[in-house]
Amino acid sequence: MSMMHNLRAAVVRPARRRVSDSFEPLPGDTPSAVVDCAVYQQGKRAAETCSPREAARQVKAAHQLGPGSFSWIGLHEPTEAEFEGIAQRFGLHPLAVEDAVHAHQRPKVERYDGMLFAVFKTVRYVEHEQLTPTSEVVETGELMVFAGPDFVITVRHGAHSSLRELRHRLEADSEGTGLLAKGPAAVLHAIADHVVDNYLLVADRLQNDVDEIEYDVFANKGGRGTDVGRVYQLKREVLEFKRAVTPLLRPMLQLAEPTARLVDLDMQKYFRDVADHLARVSEQVHGFDELLNSLLQANLAQVSVAQNEDMRKITAWAAIFAVPTMITGVYGMNFEHMPELKSTYGYPTVLGAIVVICVGMYRGFRRNGWL
């Protein structure tokens, strides 16, 4: 029976889920997907990298001496088999486990029996020399966080969502703000803050692309200077960014609300700061989306105006050429009794009349802006 069926079967038991007291090896207890695993005591890393089973044992032993210890296990794109042992050992809810393994989830924060499960969309700006109708501007990944009373488990999907530098920065700052000493909720905050800071960086880089497109649209090129495909491609990339940012705003506000009580009161002010930054990014991304909508409409309007101008020019020239066509057609009928047909100056007179009429029509069309 698969891991999902085993975990779903455990849901029928209403008892509170706890970290397993057994330290016997479990299936997938040492998955190759583990990037880093460590135990932290009083905000400091207790030892070098260890296995999840050893981390659970060390945390239990540390709790016998006093509170303040937790383990942080980081995984990258684990399979069901690789995640099975960790899920059973730490009592992870099967619904959250399924979301973490299969990814492609909407950003959210959920609570399962005293454990928080958060989903973040990570975003990376893709460098490009020039924006084209096929340029990839924003690359997204996913980051799931299980935060329990004495453990943090992070599951990453995507190549750009590494938490290595964040972990090292938190470990190096154990003598400063000492966020690690505040437990798993502090790690959840640090990850949320890290993700939102990347949003701010990507939004600043996207601003340059939007400004470039805006300049091209209004560069007075008669509606022919901008490829509408570039505008549409950038809009698609902005929408992908928007889908990462907007759904996360409400969960961050919930973590900052005293009435929700999802985290300690001491940590709520930290999440409030993250929510403020996220609100700023959300407003900026919505502004990008609205501006690109306006640029698409403006570009289409310019194209329509340019086509109307072309049609006016074609019509004006057709009217001018209609005059000599009509006159020469009349004199080409070869009737004997026609004006000026026997006159010596008849031919130059007709040609002069054609030229005068055509020049007059040309000047009239120019004066009215048709040519």
Side-chain angles (χ1 to χ4, degrees):
M1 185 178 293
S2 68
M3 179 187 78
M4 291 303 161
H5 289 107
N6 291 334
L7 290 173
R8 290 183 183 277
V11 178
V12 299
R13 296 193 296 272
R16 183 185 179 93
R17 307 182 69 86
R18 299 182 305 153
V19 176
S20 174
D21 292 332
S22 173
F23 297 106
E24 296 299 322
L26 295 172
D29 220 3
T30 55
S32 59
V34 173
V35 177
D36 197 357
C37 177
V39 174
Y40 297 88
Q41 298 177 359
Q42 305 302 324
K44 296 182 180 180
R45 186 165 181 149
E48 295 300 323
T49 302
C50 58
S51 67
R53 179 162 62 98
E54 180 63 19
R57 187 191 65 78
Q58 291 182 24
V59 169
K60 183 178 180 181
H63 280 180
Q64 295 176 355
L65 302 177
S69 298
F70 69 94
S71 59
W72 182 357
I73 304 170
L75 301 98
H76 181 247
E77 298 182 355
T79 62
E80 289 187 10
E82 290 175 324
F83 204 24
E84 182 177 3
I86 294 176
Q88 293 183 17
R89 183 168 301 285
F90 290 91
L92 306 182
H93 197 281
L95 295 178
V97 171
E98 186 176 4
D99 288 347
V101 171
H102 295 291
H104 303 295
Q105 303 299 317
R106 179 183 172 89
K108 60 183 179 179
V109 175
E110 296 179 339
R111 187 168 188 170
Y112 295 100
D113 301 329
M115 177 199 72
L116 287 178
F117 174 65
V119 178
F120 301 97
K121 286 282 189 181
T122 57
V123 177
R124 184 178 73 91
Y125 181 82
V126 180
E127 298 290 345
H128 52 272
E129 294 183 0
Q130 185 178 7
L131 186 65
T132 67
T134 58
S135 294
E136 183 180 13
V137 181
V138 175
E139 180 183 356
T140 60
E142 291 188 45
L143 177 60
M144 289 79 167
V145 182
F146 297 86
D150 53 10
F151 66 87
V152 176
I153 300 173
T154 56
V155 181
R156 298 188 295 107
H157 292 268
H160 66 275
S161 54
S162 175
L163 297 175
R164 187 182 304 275
E165 293 184 4
L166 174 64
R167 186 191 287 253
H168 291 168
R169 188 167 68 250
L170 291 174
E171 292 172 355
D173 196 39
S174 60
E175 301 299 332
T177 57
L179 280 177
L180 285 177
K182 298 181 183 297
V187 177
L188 177 60
H189 158 264
I191 293 173
D193 188 55
H194 173 72
V195 170
V196 173
D197 284 345
N198 284 336
Y199 289 170
L200 290 169
L201 294 176
V202 172
D204 290 340
R205 302 297 297 276
L206 273 175
Q207 182 70 62
N208 296 330
D209 290 326
V210 174
D211 290 344
E212 178 185 347
I213 289 293
E214 184 179 15
Y215 174 80
D216 288 346
V217 169
F218 296 105
N220 192 25
K221 298 179 181 179
R224 301 180 178 88
T226 302
D227 184 359
V228 70
R230 298 173 64 215
V231 184
Y232 186 71
Q233 175 65 15
L234 184 57
K235 179 175 173 58
R236 290 184 61 185
E237 296 296 303
V238 168
L239 285 177
E240 185 174 0
F241 188 23
K242 184 178 179 181
R243 284 193 290 267
V245 173
T246 303
L248 188 60
L249 185 57
R250 180 56 185 165
M252 286 297 102
L253 291 174
Q254 288 179 336
L255 290 173
E257 291 175 353
T259 55
R261 297 182 180 179
L262 296 178
V263 296
D264 295 337
L265 291 175
D266 188 40
M267 290 301 304
Q268 287 178 352
K269 59 179 177 289
Y270 291 95
F271 285 103
R272 192 178 305 116
D273 180 68
V274 175
D276 289 341
H277 292 170
L278 187 61
R280 172 191 161 189
V281 178
S282 180
E283 292 174 359
Q284 196 170 2
V285 174
H286 278 82
F288 292 160
D289 190 27
E290 293 177 1
L291 178 58
L292 289 173
N293 281 334
S294 299
L295 292 178
L296 276 174
Q297 295 175 1
N299 183 255
L300 293 176
Q302 287 179 339
V303 171
S304 178
V305 169
Q307 290 176 344
N308 289 337
E309 291 179 353
D310 292 341
M311 289 302 299
R312 286 193 303 178
K313 291 179 180 180
I314 294 173
T315 303
W317 283 112
I320 293 173
F321 282 110
V323 172
T325 302
M326 180 191 68
I327 295 176
T328 55
V330 169
Y331 280 91
M333 290 188 293
N334 297 321
F335 288 108
E336 182 177 355
H337 301 287
M338 292 184 68
E340 307 295 339
L341 193 61
K342 302 293 185 178
S343 174
T344 304
Y345 301 100
Y347 180 70
T349 301
V350 171
L351 290 181
I354 292 175
V355 171
V356 170
I357 295 173
C358 289
V359 170
M361 294 179 65
Y362 177 80
R363 294 185 63 181
F365 285 133
R366 287 277 294 184
R367 186 168 52 252
N368 293 326
W370 282 50
L371 290 174

